[in-house]
Amino acid sequence: MRAVSWHGKEDIRVETFPDPQIVNPRDAIVKVSITAICGSDLHLYTGRIPTMHAGDILGHEFMGEVVAVGHEVSNLQIGDRVVVPFTIACGGCYFCKHDLWSLCDNSNPNAWMVEKLYGHSPSGLFGYSHMLGGYAGGQAEYVRVPFADVGPITVPEGLSDEQVLFLSDIFPTGFMAAENCQIREGDTVAVWGCGPVGLFAIWSAYKLGAGQVIAIDRFPERLKLAREYCKAKTLNYEEVDVFTMLQELTGGRGPDSCIDAVGSEAHGTTLDAWYDLAAEKLLLETDRGHVLRQVIHSCRKGGTVSIPGVYGGFLDKVPIGAAFGKGLQLRMGQTHVHRYLPRLLEYIREGELDPSFLITHRSSLEQAADMYRIFEQKQDECIKVVLQT
Amino acid sequence: MKTGLMNSTCSSSQSAKQCPLSQNVANSERVLSLLGGGSLLLMGLRRGSGAGLLGVAAGASLLYRGWTGHCHLYEGLGINTAESQRTRPGVASHQGSKVHSALHINRDRQEIYEFWRNLENLPQIMQHLESVTVIDEKRSEWVARAPFGKTLQWEAEIITDKPGEVIAWQSLPGSQVDTAGSVHFKDSSTGAGTELVVSIMYNPPGGQIVTQIAHLLGQDLQTELNQDLREFKQLLEAGEIATNAIAPEPGQIQKPVMFDLKVDKS
Ligand SMILES: [Zn+2]
Ligand SMILES: [Zn+2]
């Protein structure tokens, strides 16, 4: 099969790999129809996530047709069209049973690596480094999907692939970011970052009862989508002082909740470098924290800060004093995709949202290297890239 | 126990600190230290790399304790193997290498207990065990894989067995290795499943310092126990061991597991 593989910093290739096969009884093999490049894939592209090996297959947002199932998978039929959650979860452990799917105990074969760093390991992910499982990713013609009896959701007739693809990650991720805000009717929610996750967070915040949503970015095309499609008030942080404007829009209180949908770019390329930081507690910064600092500064007293953006390593100068002094709640974490799938699919079916609105680039898998470059450099007003196999 | 290679001038009741060159290394161990230390030193000097230098350091320290019967590492750890020459079964609490792991398994306490109570099941989940053969209600014969491709054998007996709560075992006097282990089971405070605490102690021939070297070579018992228990948990909770392989390994031997592995997916 053909697949997109990582070979180092800004070195993406499309190569031929052996087709994956059923290994465990709860596996399925999915023949990918379309797959997307995620903002978090750019952290891999720029070589900032440790434990990547040359030849690793990338991609965690994908969907397609079931072409094989293990003998324990009874809910899927050959030929079913499915979207696959990017988080891999077993369905049987304490965390899965408590609807905390991205914290599954049993899906990361390399859990020991993360345990050294974090104390415990979150779930495995498709195509996202060896410390998070080392699973071959979805920017490929075929993918082996473990625990296929609890993950993939079958897509009903009448919906296009592009309408449902983002159930794999960014739509649930934006939705959970808004849900973490614990919005009450009429609340003001501010969203930093109008990339795909930010845009879905804006839509979801209104869905969950927000009275006004204020979106912050610097790219005009992203602010335009936030304004015109998602009905947010928009602030260009290169043109206005964000803190001042947010206070003006909220009678000096500050937004009731704030979403950091920018996240980090991790520095330090080896796991050892991260371990050293953990061991020696050196206050070097591996995650870019200025957005989070501004979020905490701007949020109203007693408000909620929600962090869907990916933070991986260490963050210096987090104003914990401000967060404490203002009685803020910080809520964060990887998305529990499985939890949201039925509800979000229903929104799409009822026509409340067509998630394909943010696709700006469509290309073939063979063009992946070019598309990574265009996306990383934000050329050509690129917001979301979808690759066809 | 004062028939050392060098005469010990301190009584065993005196602490090593009061008598810095006292013998705190048992005789059999001193011979092993001499042999192992010499070869590590040679290997290390030949390689000259970072790992080689570690070998030099470890080798030199083994030679030293082989000659003098004194080990700084033991002193630091508060261990004195010269005092107990397998006169009592098991491993004293302050000796050997102790590994410890606690985990939650979302399965019924009684069924997990029953799996462990049949000690012959243990090699299925513990990589370092080659076999366990039950002799009678209490006694069993164990074979373990040791560092450097060797095997170790010992006879053990069950010393505590409270059904559904705790199983403890230890090696009998005269065994090739001093070892003891226990597993405690209790209902999880989360309201479902079982909390396990597994402890295993080894005092392998060659003692603590060989364990340290095995550790340098990547044969870390603690890491191995953690991984073993993780896979045990995966089998019971998920019905399979998570893998990122894209094809079955050629000639892959599926671990035979005597458990009823019906996964509760409700
Ligand atoms: Zn993603
Ligand atoms: Zn799980």
Side-chain angles (χ1 to χ4, degrees), chain A residues 82-163:
Chain A
V82 293
V83 182
V84 180
F86 78 103
T87 47
I88 301 169
C90 80
C93 70
Y94 169 87
F95 297 94
C96 290
K97 292 286 187 204
H98 286 77
D99 227 9
L100 301 167
W101 302 83
S102 72
L103 303 175
C104 174
D105 258 346
N106 293 325
S107 62
N108 182 358
N110 298 329
W112 62 272
M113 292 189 194
V114 196
E115 283 173 356
K116 282 192 183 176
L117 196 61
Y118 294 169
H120 302 93
S121 172
S123 76
L125 308 179
F126 287 102
Y128 213 81
S129 84
H130 286 262
M131 70 175 186
L132 292 174
Y135 289 99
Q139 288 161 11
E141 288 183 290
Y142 294 92
V143 184
R144 173 186 160 244
V145 177
F147 306 126
D149 51 343
V150 295
I153 187 165
T154 309
V155 182
E157 296 282 315
L159 294 175
S160 73
D161 283 358
E162 285 187 357
Q163 284 177 295

Side-chain angles (χ1 to χ4, degrees), chain B residues 5-6 30 33-34 62-70:
Chain B
L5 294 172
M6 286 170 65
R30 288 171 66 186
S33 294
L34 280 167
L62 274 182
L63 276 176
Y64 172 81
R65 83 180 197 149
W67 278 119
T68 61
H70 181 84

Side-chain angles (χ1 to χ4, degrees), chain A residues 200-221:
Chain A
F200 283 123
I202 297 167
W203 183 87
S204 305
Y206 278 123
K207 190 82 214 159
L208 295 169
Q212 69 172 342
V213 182
I214 304 162
I216 301 146
D217 205 309
R218 71 184 168 105
F219 294 102
E221 65 276 11

Side-chain angles (χ1 to χ4, degrees), chain A residues 20-26 72 92-94 97 105-106 111 115 133-135 144 147 149, chain B residues 104 106 190 227 230 233-234 237-238 240-248 263-266:
Chain A
Q21 301 169 32
I22 299 288
V23 179
N24 272 338
R26 298 174 60 193
E72 284 292 324
C93 70
Y94 169 87
K97 292 286 187 204
D105 258 346
N106 293 325
E115 283 173 356
Y135 289 99
R144 173 186 160 244
F147 306 126
D149 51 343
Chain B
H104 172 253
N106 215 358
T190 65
Q227 190 60 27
R230 190 195 314 285
K233 174 181 159 76
Q234 287 177 356
E237 291 185 343
E240 59 191 40
I241 295 172
T243 172
N244 53 28
I246 58 159
V263 182
D264 170 22
K265 293 178 206 158
S266 59

Side-chain angles (χ1 to χ4, degrees), chain A residues 304-327:
Chain A
T304 302
V305 170
S306 163
I307 310 173
V310 179
Y311 284 86
F314 302 86
L315 187 60
D316 190 14
K317 301 184 190 75
V318 175
I320 196 76
F324 180 87
K326 292 165 71 170

